[in-house]
Structure formats: structure tokens, C-alpha cells
């Protein structure tokens, strides 16, 4: 029902910045919270950041808090992840996710989200 497409990934040096975008189409009005997850080689997928539909509340993993900023523009049906002070350990495929059904659990849980993008690669060189 909701299609998500990530963009903005790339290769940057340690300390650099990138801004990821997630464009949503379809029944975007049914999207409640949205979030970003990432998966590094040989690692499990992990929570990065989440935002409620109206942008009033945001949530961050401890590993990125203070460096990453999540935002959304509902008029443009787009969510963003501004990543500053990037570290090699931030290297991963980043996935956009959207919640389209009722869920009362943690924003950190992947089970909250029903729709997923295909991912965009972020590589941070030493």
C-alpha cells in the first residue's frame, strides 16, 4: 500500500555528512510513524531513528544520538535522515520503514513497521 524509495547514500570520509531521503507513494496518509534502520556486513539489522507522523516526537539509537537528525515533510511525502560526524562504524545499508497499522510497542522495534524500502548504501572511509 505504501511504497518507499531511499536515496542519498554514498561514500564519505570520517567526519563527513550525508542526507538520506525516503520518498513515499501510495496510501501515504495511512503511514503513522516512520523510521530508519541499518544493517552492516555480518551484523543484525538495528534501529537508527524514528519519527511520529506529525514530527512531534523523535527517537534515536544511542549510537547516533547527537550526530543524526530525523525529520519528515508530509506535504512532500518525504522523510530525511541528516547524518553528521560520520564514523566508519556507520557503514551499512540504510533502510526506510513506515508504520501503516496500529502498534503500541517500542518505536525501536522493526515489528512496528509494515512497509520497507530496498535500502541505500552508506560507506564511511577511515
Amino acid at each position: 500500500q505504501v511504497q518507499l524509495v531511499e536515496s542519498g547514500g554514498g561514500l564519505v570520509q570520517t567526519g563527513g555528512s550525508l542526507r538520506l531521503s525516503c520518498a513515499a507513494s501510495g496510501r501515504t496518509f495511512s503511514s503513522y510513524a516512520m523510521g530508519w534502520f541499518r544493517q552492516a556486513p555480518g551484523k543484525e539489522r538495528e534501529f537508527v531513528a524514528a519519527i511520529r507522523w506529525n514530527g512531534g516526537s523523535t527517537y534515536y539509537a544511542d549510537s547516533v544520538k547527537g550526530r543524526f537528525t530525523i525529520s519528515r515533510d508530509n506535504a512532500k511525502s518525504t522523510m530525511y535522515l541528516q547524518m553528521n560526524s560520520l564514523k566508519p562504524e556507520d557503514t551499512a545499508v540504510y533502510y526506510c520503514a513506515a508504520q501503516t497499522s496500529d502498534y503500541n510497542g517500542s518505536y525501536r522495534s522493526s515489528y512496528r513497521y509494515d512497509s520497507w524500502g530496498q535500502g541505500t548504501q552508506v560507506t564511511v572511509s577511515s
Side-chain angles (χ1 to χ4, degrees):
Q1 294 184 347
V2 177
Q3 294 78 48
L4 305 174
V5 180
E6 304 95 334
S7 62
L11 191 154
V12 297
Q13 293 181 316
T14 298
S17 298
L18 283 174
R19 188 181 74 161
L20 305 184
S21 298
C22 175
S25 61
R27 298 184 63 185
T28 57
F29 61 87
S30 65
S31 178
Y32 300 99
M34 296 186 71
W36 291 96
F37 290 75
R38 68 186 182 186
Q39 186 167 22
K43 304 293 184 180
E44 296 183 350
R45 182 173 57 185
E46 66 174 348
F47 169 79
V48 176
I51 187 169
R52 296 182 69 176
W53 75 272
N54 63 358
S57 298
T58 57
Y59 310 85
Y60 296 95
D62 289 342
S63 60
V64 306
K65 190 173 184 179
R67 300 187 298 119
F68 291 10
T69 302
I70 188 171
S71 62
R72 65 190 295 174
D73 186 338
N74 290 342
K76 297 182 179 180
S77 298
T78 303
M79 178 178 66
Y80 306 95
L81 184 68
Q82 178 66 47
M83 305 185 294
N84 298 326
S85 302
L86 284 163
K87 306 174 181 179
E89 48 263 48
D90 294 318
T91 295
V93 176
Y94 284 70
Y95 297 92
C96 173
Q99 176 190 354
T100 61
S101 61
D102 194 28
Y103 188 87
N104 298 119
S106 173
Y107 286 91
R108 298 171 56 90
S109 174
S110 63
Y111 294 110
R112 169 179 290 274
Y113 308 97
D114 308 295
S115 299
W116 295 82
Q118 64 182 18
T120 185
Q121 176 71 48
V122 172
T123 303
V124 184
S125 62
S126 302

